Amino acid sequence: MNPRHFSYNERDGVATIRLNRPERLNALTFDSYAELRDTFRALRERDSVRSVILTGTGRAFCSGGDVKDIIGKLFGVGDAELLAFTRMTCDLILNMRLLEKPIVAALNGTTCGAGAVMATACDVRLAGESAKIAFLFTQVGLSGADMGAGWLLPRIVGLGHASELLMLGEFIDARRAAEIGLYNRVVPDGELEALAREWATRLAAGPEMGLAVTKRMLNEEASMTLEQAMQAEGWIQAECMRHPDYRESYEAFVEKRPKDFVRNRGWKGAARS
């Protein structure tokens, strides 16, 4: 894991991906889109990583696609190239959702366009008080349903709030974002990084399979009937009960000691199928 277009480090099972173009408000380029897409896919097989923090450097989390490096250049390409680009951006979000490890967004400032959808694709969103967010696609003549925003956002904030955010494309402040459920927590800017590390560390210490299938079912149950969801949840819970983490939780309770799920990482039993 040696990316060229953002910084990456690992510590205690937590990978931190930090967008690092502060002079451009961490705007994305063709290359950084592709590298982020590939990184989130690669993290599926990286056993040393159990949770991820996604954040930015400076005054922004991410201001979306770079006006000069992407938007300006797209006017000069054909239909096939346009479609290849939009599919690549969607593949980034898809890979974030298919990564069955928790992703914590630490929103440190301006978050808009593709940055807003990346934040939405994370499992939880923590924000500094100065953070503001906009799904500004309609402001530039595009569909508000971009990169999966039309699927993700209503499931977080409800159809009414999602319609407002995606149709108006205007910025809302951190207080309003928390009020409608888009942000899980808002803290003073100086406390954001420590809070994100705390949450990611707690998640990294959690049950590997339990967390993985929770995210999987949250993705899949959106398209299930109630009966299908009950059948799926019954099956997956029975599988989880065969995993060593279930016994570890019981034995830790009986022995009055902290749970240690980390020692069961990489278990190859049938419940991982």
Side-chain angles (χ1 to χ4, degrees):
M1 303 294 287
N2 189 27
R4 296 185 297 120
H5 298 95
F6 47 87
S7 66
Y8 176 93
N9 67 73
E10 293 178 19
R11 191 180 84 204
D12 300 328
V14 177
T16 300
I17 295 173
R18 188 181 300 275
L19 305 179
N20 198 21
R21 295 181 75 207
E23 74 285 357
R24 305 287 293 181
L25 297 182
N26 299 320
L28 301 175
T29 66
F30 292 111
D31 290 338
S32 59
Y33 263 121
E35 195 164 44
L36 283 165
R37 174 201 61 193
D38 296 344
T39 296
F40 278 106
R41 181 175 181 83
L43 285 171
R44 297 183 205 175
E45 309 301 324
R46 195 164 180 86
D47 290 340
S48 59
V49 172
R50 303 190 297 275
S51 68
V52 180
I53 297 172
L54 180 61
T55 191
T57 303
R59 297 182 295 113
F61 171 72
C62 176
S63 60
D66 191 283
V67 174
K68 294 181 180 179
D69 292 344
I70 291 184
I71 298 174
K73 291 182 179 179
L74 287 176
F75 290 113
V77 304
D79 292 346
E81 290 88 349
L82 279 175
L83 185 56
F85 169 70
T86 56
R87 282 180 170 169
M88 175 177 69
T89 65
C90 289
D91 284 344
L92 163 58
I93 301 303
L94 181 62
N95 286 348
M96 292 177 68
R97 292 307 307 165
L98 292 181
L99 176 63
E100 293 187 342
K101 302 174 183 182
I103 306 173
V104 176
L107 308 177
N108 54 300
T110 300
T111 303
C112 58
V117 187
M118 289 171 61
T120 305
C122 294
D123 298 291
V124 293
R125 283 153 296 283
L126 312 176
E129 289 176 333
S130 68
K132 60 180 182 176
I133 190 168
F135 299 81
L136 46 65
F137 306 108
T138 59
Q139 294 280 348
V140 296
L142 297 177
S143 167
D146 188 26
M147 296 174 64
W151 190 89
L152 290 164
L153 195 57
R155 301 183 70 212
I156 300 171
V157 302
L159 182 60
H161 292 312
S163 298
E164 174 188 344
L165 293 172
L166 296 181
M167 289 181 175
L168 289 177
E170 297 174 346
F171 277 99
I172 60 172
D173 61 21
R175 180 195 60 79
R176 178 59 177 162
E179 186 178 72
I180 64 175
L182 183 54
Y183 293 169
N184 297 80
R185 297 286 189 280
V186 175
V187 295
D189 292 346
E191 299 176 14
L192 176 61
E193 191 163 335
L195 181 65
R197 168 63 57 175
E198 176 195 339
W199 278 47
T201 300
R202 287 164 55 198
L203 288 164
E208 180 183 35
M209 183 177 176
L211 290 172
V213 296
T214 297
K215 185 167 181 175
R216 186 188 312 167
M217 299 307 288
L218 286 170
N219 285 335
E220 294 181 359
E221 289 190 45
S223 59
M224 292 181 184
T225 65
L226 176 60
E227 288 185 351
Q228 290 169 335
M230 294 302 100
Q231 290 177 352
E233 289 195 5
W235 173 81
I236 201 64
Q237 199 70 302
E239 289 292 289
C240 286
M241 288 175 178
R242 299 168 62 193
H243 193 283
D245 284 344
Y246 187 53
R247 178 168 292 277
E248 167 60 19
S249 178
Y250 167 75
E251 291 179 351
F253 176 80
V254 171
E255 297 168 12
K256 296 180 172 56
R257 60 171 175 79
K259 296 184 288 288
D260 182 8
F261 293 128
V262 175
R263 68 182 180 183
N264 295 325
R265 301 291 178 185
W267 185 70
K268 302 299 183 183
R272 290 175 60 87
S273 62

